[in-house]
Structures are given as structure tokens and as C-alpha cells.
Amino acid sequence: QLQLQESGPGLVKPSETLSLSCTVSGASISSSPYYWGWVRQPPGKGLEWIGSIYYSGNTYHNPSLKSRVTIYVDTSTNQFSLRLSSVTAADTAVYYCARHPCLVCGGNFDYWGQGALVTVSS
Amino acid sequence: QSALTQPPSASGSPGQSVTISCTGTSSDVGGYNYVSWYQQHPGKTPKLMIYEVSKRPSGVPNRFSGSKSGNTASLTVSGLQAEDEADYYCSSYAGGNSLLFGGGTKLTVL
């Protein structure tokens, strides 16, 4: 059974970099023809796609966040990670990692992590 | 890119049908048959309910159906049940290898 689990600091200071990892169990990131993505949800608000990485390493980002987002894969630990730079209070959200079988088909996120709340505050 | 537009709320009585709309543009919803719908109960993770406008993943009741006309996609929940009360989000491919979500609709079962 595929499982995803986010991990990382729950509190980040303004202007610093948010870093989260997603550990995948039940499948190998590097051998599965899937995309591995990040979606966030500010408290009480809707979902926002941040970006995704294909198993081959190609990355895709939300244009509104692109300049601040880095997504990469560590095949040795079967994890993929998110770095979001220059954070502000507006980046406070629950961050989900999720798997999706395609990008141009609209995402179709079928497996999700439980989510990690990250608060940006000094 | 702006979020897709959904009504903030919708409601219906048990057994009734409710339709939730998701309006975009010709660059996203209207341009591709790639609209998905997610259900999210409070404090839970989103669950994929519909993909590619009208397809249901295995295990999703056939009470849930999707359609699209022009720049607006719709999710219809027939035979409303208490457990259908949740937030619903649409998403669409938006071209240029990007995805958009809607703002969400809170469905209340009266």
C-alpha cells in the first residue's frame, strides 16, 4: 500500500526558507512513472498546487511561486523535497505531498500525505 | 493565473441532488477535458472523486458525477447522504504544465 509522509519544521521565520520532505513507502520514486507533487492549504482556505517532480527528475511549478520553489528527489532515501524561499506569513499553510499519474490530465492526485502545518512567524 | 471560481456554499436535503459549479476560462477548464474534483472532510486529506471531467476512481459511489459545458465544470451529487457533507474542490489543467484549483465549496446536508 502506497503511503506518503511529510516531515520538516513546523515553524519558520519570515524571509527564511521553508524545507519539507516527503517519504514514500510502498513504491520506488525513481522507478514509478508518476509525478510527485506538493499542494498547500492556508488555514480555512482552499488548495493551491505548488509544483511537481516527475520520476525522471523534470520539475514543474506554479507560475505564481516559481521563482521561490525548488523541488528535488533523493532516490537513496525514496524522498522528494520542497524548498520555498523568502517566506512570509502568507505562506503559512498545511503542506501536502501527493502522487499523481499525470500533469496534463489535470493532476488526479490519488495518494496524499497527512499534511504538515508550517507556520511562518518570528 | 487565477483560482477557478466555485460557489462558497451549497446545500440540499438527504435524498436530493446538488450540483456544484467550477468556472474557469478557455485557457483551463474550457480548453481541456481535464477537470478533477476532490472531497475533503474537516481535518482530513482531500480525496479524488472525479477525474477527466466525468470519470470515477474505483470505490467512488456512482452518486457522484461530473460534466462540463464551455468554461464551466460541474459536480453533481445525487441521493445526498449525511456523509457527503464536506468541502469540494475542483482542479483543472491550465496549460504550460500547470494546474489550478478552485476556491472550494462547502456542501451542507440539511
Side-chain angles (χ1 to χ4, degrees):
Chain A
Q1 175 73 355
L2 183 69
Q3 293 186 319
L4 294 83
Q5 179 66 58
E6 305 87 353
S7 59
L11 181 64
V12 181
K13 290 182 168 56
S15 79
E16 295 191 345
T17 297
L18 177 159
S19 295
L20 290 171
S21 292
C22 180
T23 300
V24 177
S25 57
S28 169
I29 285 182
S30 59
S31 62
S32 304
Y34 288 99
Y35 292 79
W36 306 92
W38 291 96
V39 175
R40 71 180 181 178
Q41 184 171 35
K45 296 187 178 180
L47 301 170
E48 180 182 32
W49 175 68
I50 298 170
S52 300
I53 187 165
Y54 192 45
Y55 81 112
S56 61
N58 291 341
T59 57
Y60 308 88
H61 306 96
N62 185 324
S64 67
L65 298 171
K66 183 175 182 178
S67 63
R68 298 196 291 133
V69 172
T70 303
I71 299 174
Y72 58 95
V73 166
D74 184 343
T75 56
S76 66
T77 57
N78 216 38
Q79 293 180 331
F80 64 104
S81 299
L82 168 71
R83 290 172 57 89
L84 181 66
S85 64
S86 304
V87 297
T88 69
D91 294 309
T92 294
V94 174
Y95 286 75
Y96 295 100
C97 59
R99 186 191 82 165
H100 55 119
C102 57
L103 187 61
V104 297
C105 66
N108 304 346
F109 295 92
D110 54 4
Y111 284 90
W112 296 69
Q114 286 303 301
L117 174 62
V118 179
T119 301
V120 178
S121 175
S122 55
Chain B
Q1 288 183 327
S2 299
L4 305 174
T5 300
Q6 297 182 235
S9 62
S11 63
S13 299
Q16 289 186 333
S17 293
V18 171
T19 296
I20 298 170
S21 63
C22 170
T23 301
T25 69
S26 58
S27 297
D28 37 69
V29 174
Y32 310 93
N33 287 322
Y34 295 136
V35 176
S36 303
W37 289 91
Y38 299 86
Q39 176 191 66
Q40 186 180 35
H41 287 107
K44 301 297 185 180
T45 60
K47 176 185 176 182
L48 181 65
M49 304 300 284
I50 296 287
Y51 67 100
E52 294 176 17
V53 176
S54 60
K55 297 178 181 178
R56 277 189 309 277
S58 174
V60 173
N62 59 12
R63 302 185 294 103
F64 292 85
S65 62
S67 62
K68 193 189 85 166
S69 178
N71 296 339
T72 298
S74 298
L75 172 72
T76 298
V77 186
S78 305
L80 267 178
Q81 299 182 4
E83 59 262 36
D84 299 332
E85 185 163 295
D87 294 327
Y88 290 85
Y89 295 91
C90 62
S91 72
S92 173
Y93 180 62
N97 292 316
S98 67
L99 302 173
L100 274 178
F101 278 97
T105 298
K106 181 177 180 59
L107 175 60
T108 301
V109 180
L110 302 171

